[in-house]
Amino acid sequence: MSPSITQFGKKVPGKVYVDRPGAYAVIVNAQGAVALIRVPQGYFLPGGGIDPNEDARSALAREVLEETGHEVHVVRELGWAAQFLVARHEELYLNKVGQFFVARLGPKRQAPHEVDHSLEWLPMAEAKKRLRHEFQSWALARFESSHDRP
């Protein structure tokens, strides 16, 4: 299904991890600032979990619309990475498996649904430092090193 996946994090011995697929966008504006979603827990790339009966692109479109109110237009696939995480007060052990895309924000179609989410634009270096998960920072580094950046 997916090509090679760069894995981050370490498993807690004896715990069973659940794979949680997600789709995320690297969106950079004309000034070189990166779109991040700020929530009470920190900063994340736009996007999120892929629900049953969704593919990565439709999940990305739904998540970005919910988080920002904007349409999203995928430019190209960027790659795959995953990270072992412990969520919900260490009761849920996840392997977040992300499919990453280079994308652009389209027109704003509605008010965001996620009231505790805000869209912020940060310089690339600051965005990489602020991202809560290493696998998402990997996507920004991969974007920076690509020769055909939009």
Side-chain angles (χ1 to χ4, degrees):
M1 176 180 150
S2 63
S4 68
I5 297 176
T6 303
Q7 182 71 56
F8 294 93
K10 293 185 189 238
K11 283 186 171 183
V12 175
K15 298 298 180 181
V16 176
Y17 282 75
V18 176
D19 283 347
R20 179 65 172 121
Y24 304 94
V26 173
I27 301 169
V28 179
N29 67 17
Q31 293 76 36
V34 179
L36 295 184
I37 303 300
R38 184 178 184 179
V39 299
Q41 300 81 13
Y43 287 88
F44 299 89
L45 288 175
I50 300 172
D51 290 340
N53 302 317
E54 278 187 320
D55 63 18
R57 288 174 186 247
S58 61
L60 183 64
R62 176 185 51 76
E63 287 281 351
V64 172
L65 188 64
E66 289 173 358
E67 293 171 339
T68 70
H70 287 267
E71 292 178 6
V72 67
H73 302 287
V74 171
V75 175
R76 64 181 167 86
E77 188 172 324
L78 186 60
W80 295 73
Q83 186 167 351
F84 295 120
L85 298 166
V86 181
R88 299 186 191 146
H89 306 290
E90 301 187 14
E91 295 172 13
L92 183 61
Y93 295 82
L94 298 173
N95 184 34
K96 286 199 149 195
V97 180
Q99 185 173 359
F100 294 91
F101 298 92
V102 176
R104 298 183 197 280
L105 276 186
K108 189 160 189 171
R109 289 189 17 211
Q110 64 186 39
H113 292 175
E114 309 280 355
V115 295
D116 65 345
H117 290 49
S118 62
L119 173 63
E120 295 190 14
W121 295 91
L122 298 176
M124 180 66 73
E126 186 177 348
K128 284 195 290 190
K129 289 181 201 171
R130 295 244 183 159
L131 279 170
R132 184 169 169 126
H133 297 311
E134 191 176 6
F135 81 130
Q136 293 191 357
S137 295
W138 167 90
L140 290 186
R142 186 168 176 107
F143 171 81
E144 272 193 309
S145 69
S146 62
H147 293 19
D148 56 343
R149 291 169 44 169

